[in-house]
Amino acid sequence: MYLGRITGTVVASRKVDGLTGQKLLLVQPVDEALAPAGDVQVAVDTVQAGVGDLVFLVGSREAALALEPWFVPVDAAIVGIVDGTSRSA
């Protein structure tokens, strides 16, 4: 599981059957200081996130399991929206 910030949306003229009706978003992975960490990636949205939201993502097999039906071929899935952040001393 890792954090990312939604930076945009993706429009696909064709999708795998299991992705029909699913929203695809551009996500910039971030580190613990919320600084960009890695390349922007496409993730399927399972929680109705929007541009600017800080989100939790899962990758690989876990991403495929986040969708109904299971094992839809995706590399990343958004599984939660972060309401706020706090830092402990």
Side-chain angles (χ1 to χ4, degrees):
M1 189 176 297
Y2 56 102
L3 288 173
R5 175 104 36 211
I6 307 297
T7 60
T9 60
V10 175
V11 176
S13 58
R14 300 182 84 184
K15 294 181 185 177
V16 171
D17 288 337
L19 289 177
T20 302
Q22 296 288 337
K23 184 168 56 168
L24 301 175
L25 297 171
L26 292 173
V27 181
Q28 171 64 63
V30 296
D31 62 16
E32 63 277 352
L34 305 181
D39 296 330
V40 173
Q41 48 188 253
V42 175
V44 63
D45 180 23
T46 67
V47 295
Q48 302 302 312
V51 174
D53 285 344
L54 184 63
V55 295
F56 283 113
L57 297 104
V58 291
S60 304
R61 185 170 193 265
E62 289 77 18
L65 294 173
L67 299 170
E68 290 291 332
W70 286 7
F71 298 111
V72 176
V74 296
D75 290 328
I78 299 164
V79 295
I81 300 173
V82 177
D83 278 345
T85 58
S86 64
R87 295 183 187 232
S88 56

